[in-house]
Amino acid sequence: MRELALRASHACAPTYTRFLEPPMEIACRAAANFAGCEVAFEGGYEGAERRMAGFYAGGAEALSFPIRRLRVDWNARYGSIGHRDILGALMGLGIERETLGDIAMLREGALLFVHEDIADYVAANLESCGRAKVRISPCGEEVAPPEPEGTLLYRTVPSQRLDAVLAAAYDLSRQKAQEMIRAELVKVDHAVETRADARLEAGSLVSARGLGRFRVQEVAGLTRKGRVGLRLFVYGK
């Protein structure tokens, strides 16, 4: 990342990473600061989780991220396809994970965000996902992925500690939540968190292996009994 940032700074021409996991964006910002340039992130649509970093010196208008959008369609009468089926089929083609961005499931079909270097290869070779045959086509127009499915919950907790909020989100005992945290089964904002007393804020994303993930949508303030009111969005059907 430092090398890419330095090249952008010295040549005054943008450079780009492949698709990154969210925690790696911190290292990108540090690399840009080291090289004295700027950095921006793009995943192909607003709210993308896996994004490329673009290092640049001067105006951001010079950025042109090498991202291509492909649409996946199939006949629902012959099978149902999920995120895991599509990712597995792509991995089966020998594609490196960092050349793949998000896979956004639509109500009918799916969108793939891929590096431009592999877009033609995917279009020519991805013929089936799971048990269903698929059709791949370029997607030029902006298609917004649907809002994530899930349930909005209101919970009160003694504090904003990770163990307390995790227990409230999934109806666990506090002890069970602490055991999962110690076992490194819990991530906060995509990074493993082993501190049971880590403080969660509005916007914090928590994932627990085997349970799913939730986001702290709002810290609603103290109740009359001195507990903290939280609104949690728990992902999933």
Side-chain angles (χ1 to χ4, degrees):
M1 293 178 188
R2 280 190 173 189
E3 181 182 350
L4 288 172
L6 287 169
R7 282 168 48 195
S9 180
H10 294 161
C12 294
T15 59
Y16 306 94
T17 67
R18 299 296 181 95
F19 288 99
L20 304 172
E21 295 288 345
M24 296 180 71
E25 294 185 5
I26 298 173
C28 287
R29 292 189 176 94
N33 184 62
F34 172 81
C37 66
E38 303 294 330
V39 63
F41 300 94
E42 178 60 58
Y45 68 99
E46 186 176 354
E49 198 164 280
R50 294 174 59 83
R51 304 193 295 180
M52 292 181 180
F55 298 100
Y56 64 98
E61 61 275 4
L63 290 171
S64 180
F65 286 87
I67 298 173
R68 293 267 295 277
R69 184 169 53 240
L70 301 176
R71 178 158 182 135
V72 186
D73 291 292
W74 60 90
N75 192 327
R77 291 183 298 175
Y78 300 108
S80 176
I81 294 178
H83 183 283
R84 186 173 298 179
D85 298 312
I86 297 174
L87 180 58
L90 290 167
M91 294 292 95
L93 294 177
I95 293 172
E96 296 179 345
R97 186 67 178 98
E98 59 264 30
T99 62
L100 300 174
D102 285 3
I103 300 171
M105 303 304 297
L106 306 175
R107 291 180 177 83
E108 294 182 1
L111 289 179
L112 305 181
F113 298 88
V114 304
H115 193 286
E116 63 181 15
D117 288 349
I118 67 162
D120 291 342
Y121 177 79
V122 171
N125 292 279
L126 187 62
E127 299 178 344
S128 63
C129 299
R131 297 181 179 180
K133 297 291 185 182
V134 298
R135 300 181 305 279
I136 311 297
S137 58
C139 183
E141 74 277 10
E142 291 289 339
V143 179
E147 291 296 319
E149 295 182 316
T151 304
L152 186 62
L153 304 176
Y154 177 78
R155 295 286 187 268
T156 64
V157 292
S159 72
Q160 292 169 238
R161 286 172 50 118
L162 173 58
D163 57 351
V165 181
L166 178 64
Y170 293 112
D171 295 322
L172 305 175
S173 69
R174 190 81 168 264
Q175 180 180 354
K176 176 62 177 177
Q178 291 170 353
E179 289 173 357
M180 293 186 68
I181 295 166
R182 285 196 298 268
E184 300 185 359
L185 301 178
V186 178
K187 293 182 178 181
V188 176
D189 295 328
H190 307 283
V192 173
E193 179 58 78
T194 58
R195 297 172 300 147
D197 62 350
R199 181 182 173 87
L200 301 182
E201 304 290 351
S204 295
L205 179 67
V206 180
S207 58
R209 191 180 304 173
L211 296 177
R213 62 180 183 167
F214 67 89
R215 187 179 296 277
V216 180
Q217 292 283 76
E218 180 186 1
V219 179
L222 295 178
T223 68
R224 292 181 178 179
K225 295 183 178 180
R227 292 172 65 86
V228 182
L230 299 176
R231 288 186 174 86
L232 309 175
F233 185 83
V234 181
Y235 293 85
K237 295 182 178 180

